[in-house]
Amino acid sequence: MKLTLMFNRTFVVLVLTSFMFGVLTSCGSSDAKTATADSSSTATSESIKLGFIPLTDCASLVMAQELGLFKKYGVKVELSKEASWANVRDKILTGELAGAHCLFGMPFSVFTGIGGKAGSVMKIAMILNNNGQAITLSNKFCDLVGNNETAKVKSAVDQLNAQKQLQFAMTFPGGTHDIWLRYWLAATGVDAKKVGIKTIPPPQMVANMKVDNMDGFCVGEPWNGVAVKEGIGFTHIASQDIWKNHPEKALVVNEAFAGAKKDDLKKVMKAVIEASIWLDSLSNRKKAAEILSQTKYVNAPAEVIEARLMGTNNTGCKFGDKKYEDYMKFFNNGLTNAPRKSYGIWFMSQYVRFGLLSTPPSDYKSIADKIIMSDLYKEVAGEMKLSVADDDMQPFTVTIDKAVFDPNHVDSYLAVAKK
């Protein structure tokens, strides 16, 4: 992947130096040190409210707060723990939230009328992470299909479905987890119309499987790991096995806030990017897991969060540990955070492929142009002297079925994919 800019060594030195002098804070500590304030700005008096769902990949927002990075860049941020993605959607659209840790696919789902009122605009400022989601199956699959044994899925589903229609869950119609689930079903030869697919908020997945309300789910960590810890299911496939280094969560913002408070949004983005760099140092992930585990954030066992942040999945059942080199990435040497219009076009193509949209968008690219703030991200990255990938609108390959997607030729892709 070609990069247009190289890292500025001075910036890296400044970041590392700030960490050496006690950037990391302890939750609730009255004398905890914070990052040195940005001399070019002081914190605004007006608080910026950012939402998050209790998932491991809210980490860059949480750590930007805990490390004092929002304050460093001159913004006062309030983090708000939300109950569901629908709640996040509604609060962003009304302006109750300036922005949030959000499913990358959500703005496209909402705009096209799948997950909200058609035409409603939510802006994507940057991508927050790649990888780190999974599909968990209940233990009734244990002797039928193992970890990443995709060739056995159809026969297992057919066998169990003959007894009672299987129920699968995802977190938001047209969101990332919905599409990973549907894509996996299609790649394994399962007709999605023959199983149930329901919407459940992420923190409620484990409890619903425990009482047999579902037979499998697709969700972000740590809830796949928690299902294993509680002995109710096993990790069948990680999302990076479906599409390596896929876009997952994004910083999604209210349209009016993005227009009227551009400078504040840029400061928020800079803080989140610096937190992302910190998170991609594996030596920091134990501390991140401890902070994320707290009740006010994810409220899950620190050891489960840490293990999967480090790329070690105890997959459960009888399948043991699986080590991933393509674990959850928050920065990935500058490759993660740039929001690609091609990714949005891919999501919309899947809506058409899987029948979520009966009529294809008349112009995929114009919708992506409306939602993706790529110019703003480039502006922020340029000011931080960071590299920016120039791969947008280029073809890419999805891992599980080796399908090549060209965002410039969606109709040709769909003619093959829908067969």
Side-chain angles (χ1 to χ4, degrees):
M1 186 177 293
K2 185 168 62 176
L3 300 175
T4 58
L5 297 169
M6 300 301 291
F7 283 108
N8 180 287
R9 294 181 179 177
T10 302
F11 171 77
V12 175
V13 169
L14 286 172
V15 171
L16 293 175
T17 301
S18 68
F19 295 152
M20 291 173 64
F21 279 93
V23 169
L24 185 59
T25 66
S26 301
C27 269
S29 173
S30 60
D31 60 350
K33 296 180 180 179
T34 60
T36 304
D38 186 341
S39 60
S40 64
S41 62
T42 57
T44 58
S45 58
E46 185 179 350
S47 181
I48 298 171
K49 193 173 182 180
L50 301 177
F52 70 93
I53 292 288
L55 291 160
T56 300
D57 54 24
C58 72
S60 54
L61 266 65
V62 169
M63 295 315 302
Q65 186 78 303
E66 293 289 330
L67 296 171
L69 297 174
F70 289 128
K71 181 178 179 181
K72 171 183 174 180
Y73 284 99
V75 284
K76 181 181 178 182
V77 168
E78 174 190 351
L79 295 184
S80 176
K81 186 175 181 177
E82 302 297 332
S84 68
W85 291 121
N87 215 39
V88 169
R89 172 203 61 202
D90 293 345
K91 289 185 177 182
I92 290 176
L93 288 174
T94 62
E96 184 175 342
L97 291 173
H101 152 258
C102 197
L103 300 161
F104 181 88
M106 184 191 289
F108 297 97
S109 170
V110 171
F111 186 86
T112 56
I114 296 168
K117 183 180 178 180
S120 299
V121 177
M122 303 162 69
K123 295 280 195 176
I124 295 178
M126 60 182 286
I127 295 173
L128 296 177
N129 70 291
N130 305 132
N131 307 325
Q133 322 298 297
I135 292 174
T136 290
L137 298 179
S138 71
N139 287 333
K140 65 183 69 175
F141 282 91
C142 190
D143 293 326
L144 302 175
V145 57
N147 179 265
N148 211 8
E149 290 185 320
T150 54
K152 296 182 179 181
V153 170
K154 187 178 186 303
S155 62
V157 169
D158 288 346
Q159 179 178 330
L160 295 172
N161 219 29
Q163 303 167 25
K164 179 183 176 182
Q165 186 188 48
L166 294 175
Q167 299 293 317
F168 292 91
M170 48 74 186
T171 63
F172 187 83
T176 53
H177 305 131
D178 186 17
I179 299 306
W180 308 148
L181 178 63
R182 293 177 189 274
Y183 205 102
W184 167 75
L185 289 170
T188 57
V190 175
D191 184 353
K193 294 178 182 178
K194 294 184 178 180
V195 300
I197 298 178
K198 61 180 71 174
T199 303
I200 301 289
Q204 297 177 25
M205 289 291 189
V206 174
N208 273 270
M209 182 172 277
K210 190 176 293 185
V211 297
D212 202 30
N213 279 345
M214 66 179 75
D215 305 288
F217 58 72
C218 184
V219 73
E221 298 299 348
W223 305 115
N224 302 286
V226 171
V228 170
K229 181 177 176 62
E230 297 193 9
I232 63 168
F234 66 95
T235 302
H236 165 63
I237 190 169
S239 56
Q240 51 265 49
D241 291 323
I242 298 172
W243 177 6
K244 182 177 179 179
N245 292 330
H246 62 79
E248 182 48 45
K249 301 302 188 299
L251 177 61
V252 174
V253 295
N254 172 271
E255 185 177 24
F257 171 77
K261 301 287 187 178
K262 176 183 173 182
D263 288 343
D264 283 347
L265 176 54
K266 286 171 63 177
K267 292 171 184 177
V268 166
M269 292 167 68
K270 288 176 182 180
V272 171
I273 289 170
E274 191 167 327
S276 300
I277 294 171
W278 183 89
L279 281 161
D280 267 7
S281 174
L282 292 184
S283 62
N284 292 326
R285 292 199 170 190
K286 180 178 180 63
K287 186 64 176 180
E290 292 172 354
I291 291 172
L292 288 167
S293 71
Q294 296 181 41
T295 303
K296 67 178 179 178
Y297 294 130
V298 178
N299 192 25
E303 66 271 19
V304 174
I305 297 174
E306 180 186 353
R308 297 208 171 197
L309 272 175
M310 299 297 289
T312 300
N313 289 7
N314 174 3
T315 57
C317 196
K318 55 189 177 184
F319 308 118
D321 287 350
K322 182 171 181 178
K323 182 70 176 176
Y324 281 91
E325 295 301 323
D326 46 358
Y327 44 76
M328 191 179 291
K329 304 289 179 67
F330 295 90
F331 184 68
N332 196 17
N333 296 320
L335 299 178
T336 294
N337 304 125
R340 277 77 154 183
K341 296 176 181 179
S342 56
Y343 293 165
I345 294 170
W346 183 86
F347 271 91
M348 290 186 285
S349 77
Q350 303 310 305
Y351 301 162
V352 176
R353 177 189 178 190
F354 297 131
L356 300 178
L357 282 179
S358 56
T359 303
S362 58
D363 188 344
Y364 293 88
K365 179 64 162 49
S366 67
I367 298 174
D369 288 341
K370 187 182 295 289
I371 290 171
I372 297 286
M373 303 180 73
S374 52
D375 288 344
L376 181 67
Y377 178 80
K378 289 176 182 177
E379 190 175 325
V380 169
E383 291 175 9
M384 296 182 76
K385 303 298 188 289
L386 297 178
S387 56
V388 180
D390 65 350
D391 59 345
D392 199 5
M393 296 306 294
Q394 298 300 310
F396 55 81
T397 301
V398 177
T399 308
I400 192 171
D401 59 0
K402 310 302 181 189
V404 177
F405 179 75
D406 186 341
N408 302 292
H409 299 284
V410 179
D411 291 343
S412 297
Y413 165 81
L414 286 173
V416 175
K418 292 177 74 174
K419 289 182 178 180

